[in-house]
Amino acid sequence: MTVDTGASSRNPELDRRRGYGIAVTKLNVNRESPSYITYKWTSMGRSPNKFTVWLVNVASRDYYMAVETVWTSDGKGIAPLDPLPHRAGEYQLVLTKHNFYGTVYAKSRTFHVYPSDF
């Protein structure tokens, strides 16, 4: 399942006047065994050098660290579903300040994780 996140020049996560920001541009849930997520992002020149990727349960707002360190310049990445406690539901992929989920840089649209994904 591919989720087009609709990142565009009007995306509030990209502040073009100030030259910083990160926006998730594409997300794909690969339903193989085990399932994993591939995602892409875009960033401005003055964006942070690195960030942390979290899977956030929409209902409970629980954060699960998927990838501790991602370099902003890469532009694409893979996140395993392993950190989830085998809990199906609606999730978002969230990019935050390195090792601190209190500062959110970008969020994906909601996607579903099913029991068969584990």
Side-chain angles (χ1 to χ4, degrees), residues 71-115:
W71 298 101
T72 305
S73 60
D74 291 346
K76 62 182 178 178
I78 297 174
L81 295 181
D82 297 346
L84 301 179
H86 288 71
R87 188 170 169 197
E90 291 184 323
Y91 287 85
Q92 284 183 311
L93 184 87
V94 178
L95 313 180
T96 70
K97 182 175 182 176
H98 187 249
N99 285 331
F100 180 65
Y101 64 81
T103 303
V104 174
Y105 296 145
K107 294 180 182 179
S108 73
R109 289 192 179 156
T110 302
F111 59 92
H112 292 274
V113 173
Y114 301 103

Side-chain angles (χ1 to χ4, degrees), residues 5 10 22-23 34 44-46 48 50-51 61 66 75 80 82 95 99 101-102 105 107:
T5 61
R10 295 186 312 263
I22 300 172
M44 302 297 291
R46 291 179 37 208
K50 60 185 174 181
F51 56 86
R61 302 305 305 159
D82 297 346
L95 313 180
N99 285 331
Y101 64 81
Y105 296 145
K107 294 180 182 179

Side-chain angles (χ1 to χ4, degrees), residues 8-110:
S8 69
S9 59
R10 295 186 312 263
N11 192 319
E13 295 167 339
L14 295 176
D15 189 339
R16 300 214 183 266
R17 290 183 308 239
R18 294 190 182 124
Y20 66 86
I22 300 172
V24 177
T25 57
K26 192 170 190 178
L27 180 135
N28 186 39
V29 179
N30 297 286
R31 304 206 184 273
E32 299 172 10
S33 183
S35 296
Y36 62 94
I37 298 167
T38 56
Y39 58 99
K40 292 184 180 182
W41 65 89
T42 187
S43 62
M44 302 297 291
R46 291 179 37 208
S47 297
N49 292 333
K50 60 185 174 181
F51 56 86
T52 298
V53 177
W54 303 83
L55 299 173
V56 180
N57 184 296
V58 173
S60 68
R61 302 305 305 159
D62 290 334
Y63 278 69
Y64 303 97
M65 185 184 294
V67 184
E68 183 175 7
T69 304
V70 177
W71 298 101
T72 305
S73 60
D74 291 346
K76 62 182 178 178
I78 297 174
L81 295 181
D82 297 346
L84 301 179
H86 288 71
R87 188 170 169 197
E90 291 184 323
Y91 287 85
Q92 284 183 311
L93 184 87
V94 178
L95 313 180
T96 70
K97 182 175 182 176
H98 187 249
N99 285 331
F100 180 65
Y101 64 81
T103 303
V104 174
Y105 296 145
K107 294 180 182 179
S108 73
R109 289 192 179 156
T110 302

